[in-house]
Amino acid sequence: MIEPCLQKFRHLHTDKNRTHWTAVTTHRAPHKPLLLLSVIDLFAQDYIRSNFIELDDELMELFGLYWQAVNPPSKRGDITMPFFHLRSEGFWHLLPQPGQEAALAVKRRTDGLKQLRQLVLGVRLDEALYQLLQDEQSRNLLRTTLIQTYFAPEMHQRLVARGQSNAEAFQYSMDLLQKARENTAKEAPEETYSPAVRDQGFRRVIVTIYEHRCAFCGVRILTADGHTAIEAAHIIPWHVSHNDDPRNGLALCRLCHWSFDEGLVTLTPSYQIKLSPQLAAPDNIPGHLTAFGKRPFLGPDDQSLWPFPDSISWHQQTLFRHR
Ligand SMILES: [Zn+2]
């Protein structure tokens, strides 16, 4: 019985404020439908395998991608709002952290990511909705209902395409990971994917195995709208290597990524970070970059996914500024 769930999806309580929300989002706050679209994606990818939804990096990134698809850059999103307030819809049950039952029960609004994580362990869906989300046809109906109800017609195709790209990028990232773990010979699965999907998939596998942490300086910052300081860097650039193997990649913050591509920082064969003497040239102020020279890099827990020695030595020999 899908109709009761579709009814609930059609009648979400959303902020209706014509001065704040344009016709693109049917003059309503798009937070709840965008979060539900992200959750549907995670079910479709078989990423969520039980009736328990966490506010994790994966969900935050997807929410960020959907948010960007319909909102101008100046409009800030905040995933904590729908994650908390969907509880008023009757199908989204917040599970308190141990000992936080009473605090959560009296809470009327959230004060950001930190506080929400302290109060809420995750979400359990109504059993009927959970069962529907196991089925592709039902998922598509729920998805279409959200898109058609809450977004202007010119946005429909864009949101459908967003979902398709998310699914393909997820599949590509899983292919890359599996190939790396099995250590199979480098084929070219990337040929079947569009450049945008390839980028998103490579990024997903890198930020996942490095847990959104810069491999050099250790920075990890995610915003409530799913933006992150971390980028997926190729060690041998894509245009040279055509190799998206995660072992040809590193998770780096923007400054470390730029420094790496400029050859101001590299890795040694023993995975130590090595700085170029150019950093200390007169008038340069390299700041915290000098702090992690000669330190080990912060690799994935699974050491079999650490960078290829060949990629590292290519970077040392080709891009690194030795003097
Ligand atoms: Zn960094």
Side-chain angles (χ1 to χ4, degrees), residues 106-171:
V106 298
K107 202 77 198 158
R108 291 289 159 260
R109 55 190 287 269
T110 65
D111 297 310
L113 206 50
K114 187 176 165 200
Q115 192 217 41
L116 188 63
R117 286 210 170 109
Q118 282 167 351
L119 285 178
V120 177
L121 195 62
V123 163
R124 186 177 52 77
L125 298 173
D126 255 6
E127 190 58 26
L129 177 57
Y130 175 67
Q131 291 302 331
L132 288 169
L133 287 168
Q134 309 299 315
D135 171 60
E136 186 180 357
Q137 212 179 345
S138 305
R139 281 196 300 268
N140 289 340
L141 253 171
L142 292 162
R143 189 194 303 273
T144 309
T145 300
L146 289 169
I147 291 175
Q148 291 183 351
T149 308
Y150 297 98
F151 301 95
E154 66 267 26
M155 285 293 136
H156 293 180
Q157 189 43 43
R158 189 186 297 193
L159 285 165
V160 170
R162 180 72 270 159
Q164 283 165 351
S165 298
N166 291 346
E168 287 176 29
F170 183 84
Q171 190 52 52

Side-chain angles (χ1 to χ4, degrees), residues 214 217 253 256:
C214 177
C217 70
C253 76
C256 290

Side-chain angles (χ1 to χ4, degrees), residues 214 216-219 252-253 255-256 288 292:
C214 177
F216 289 171
C217 70
V219 154
L252 295 175
C253 76
L255 179 59
C256 290
H288 76 286
F292 49 79

Side-chain angles (χ1 to χ4, degrees), residues 280-298:
D283 297 336
N284 278 355
I285 306 173
H288 76 286
L289 284 180
T290 52
F292 49 79
K294 293 188 184 145
R295 263 194 354 213
F297 97 126
L298 302 161

